[in-house]
Amino acid sequence: MAVVTGARRGIGRLVAEHLLAGGAQVVGLSRAADAVIEHPAYQHLAADVADDAAVRAAFREIARRHGRLDLLVNAAAVLTSQYVLLLPGGKAEEMVRTNLLGPVLTCREAAKLMTRARYGRIVNVSSMAAVLEPPGDAVYAATKAALATFGNVLAKELGRVGVTVNTLGVTAYPTDMLAALPADKVAAVIAALPIPRAATREDLLHALDFLLSESSGYVTAQTLHLGGVHA
Ligand SMILES: NC(=O)c1ccc[n+]([C@@H]2O[C@H](COP(=O)([O-])OP(=O)(O)OC[C@H]3O[C@@H](n4cnc5c(N)ncnc54)[C@H](OP(=O)(O)O)[C@@H]3O)[C@@H](O)[C@H]2O)c1
């Protein structure tokens, strides 16, 4: 049984469909109510991950229907790429709430179910921006750096109960979020990577499968960056 946030589009949808293909039951969370994935083992719940009451309600429903939770992948995030001098406060707040507070709330609710079963795998999706710190992405990069720190501390809190918490550092992958960025800026960032290309579906899912694997019980508090990005 898996929960994937941001499952309506982009990487979250890719992950949800991948887990469904592997035989998992999947609950996808996003703000919009209409499910775009049609699969008998898929349920879509409308929840803003930064809304404490909505997240609690979603996980109450998950507990009621499934009684357990094995995997949580936090892929929901928003990005406004803008120099700090020009960044509206509301956009900064939206990134902090969605990209950091959101995973805090979903991890907390997931951990309640996982600790009960003494098993769980949590993967928080981060970005190369946390390490590369590109101008224009100060707040986004800060939320992703904080997300890894949050995951590392949570990993310590859950290390004795069979629950791992890791961070997956994604490079460029074609989604709505990437399409909203200037193409020349994206191309320059990709060209400067140690492996100078965008991530493929296989690149993402291979790394994710490793972190979500039952065999990865001794791997926690790690950030796995794609493309050769390193801190
Ligand atoms: N694509 C890339 O090149 C790239 C690179 C590095 C890192 N990443 C990371 O990869 C992850 C996925 O990004 P993406 O490119 O797939 O983004 P995307 O195409 O913009 O999709 C974002 C998803 O998150 C959901 N979402 C947004 N705000 C939400 C909220 N407050 N509550 C619940 N759901 C919310 C959206 O659905 P609704 O609109 O229905 O809410 C959508 O399903 C993010 O963590 C991002 O930071 C992406």
Side-chain angles (χ1 to χ4, degrees), residues 6-12 29-32 47-49 75-78 98 125-127 140 144 170-173 175-178:
R8 207 167 156 276
R9 287 183 278 124
I11 291 170
L29 303 184
S30 85
R31 292 165 299 184
D48 179 339
V49 292
V78 290
T98 308
V125 178
S126 181
S127 166
Y140 177 75
K144 293 301 191 179
V170 173
T171 52
Y173 185 76
T175 63
D176 293 348
M177 183 184 282
L178 192 71

Side-chain angles (χ1 to χ4, degrees), residues 94-184:
E94 186 189 25
M95 284 188 275
V96 173
R97 289 180 57 79
T98 308
N99 305 1
L100 181 58
L101 177 62
V104 169
L105 299 178
T106 59
C107 282
R108 183 195 64 201
E109 295 309 305
K112 291 176 186 170
L113 288 167
M114 290 173 172
T115 51
R116 206 183 292 162
R118 300 187 74 81
Y119 181 84
R121 299 280 178 268
I122 296 174
V123 174
N124 294 320
V125 178
S126 181
S127 166
M128 59 182 171
V131 173
L132 302 181
E133 301 177 342
D137 288 345
V139 175
Y140 177 75
T143 63
K144 293 301 191 179
L147 180 62
T149 302
F150 164 73
N152 293 346
V153 178
L154 183 63
K156 288 182 182 168
E157 296 181 7
L158 301 178
R160 292 170 192 273
V161 289
V163 180
T164 64
V165 187
N166 291 292
T167 306
L168 179 59
V170 173
T171 52
Y173 185 76
T175 63
D176 293 348
M177 183 184 282
L178 192 71
L181 296 171
D184 56 340

Side-chain angles (χ1 to χ4, degrees), residues 1-5 7 11-28 37 39 41-42 69-74 121 123 201 205 208-213:
M1 162 62 202
V3 169
V4 180
T5 74
I11 291 170
R13 181 174 180 180
L14 172 77
V15 170
E17 290 178 332
H18 173 66
L19 296 175
L20 285 164
Q25 298 217 300
V26 178
V27 172
I37 300 175
H39 190 289
Y42 182 75
L69 175 60
D70 306 297
L71 314 174
L72 170 66
V73 179
N74 277 309
R121 299 280 178 268
V123 174
R201 178 181 186 281
L205 294 177
L208 184 76
D209 281 342
F210 168 69
L211 296 174
L212 292 180
S213 166

Side-chain angles (χ1 to χ4, degrees), residues 30-103:
S30 85
R31 292 165 299 184
D34 54 320
V36 291
I37 300 175
E38 291 190 9
H39 190 289
Y42 182 75
Q43 182 190 13
H44 195 83
L45 296 178
D48 179 339
V49 292
D51 179 338
D52 198 2
V55 170
R56 283 179 190 273
F59 277 83
R60 267 199 307 275
E61 165 75 359
I62 290 160
R64 190 185 63 75
R65 279 178 78 124
H66 300 278
R68 63 175 291 128
L69 175 60
D70 306 297
L71 314 174
L72 170 66
V73 179
N74 277 309
V78 290
L79 164 62
T80 298
S81 197
Q82 180 58 274
Y83 295 117
V84 174
L85 281 173
L86 303 173
L87 183 66
K91 292 293 182 187
E93 184 178 349
E94 186 189 25
M95 284 188 275
V96 173
R97 289 180 57 79
T98 308
N99 305 1
L100 181 58
L101 177 62

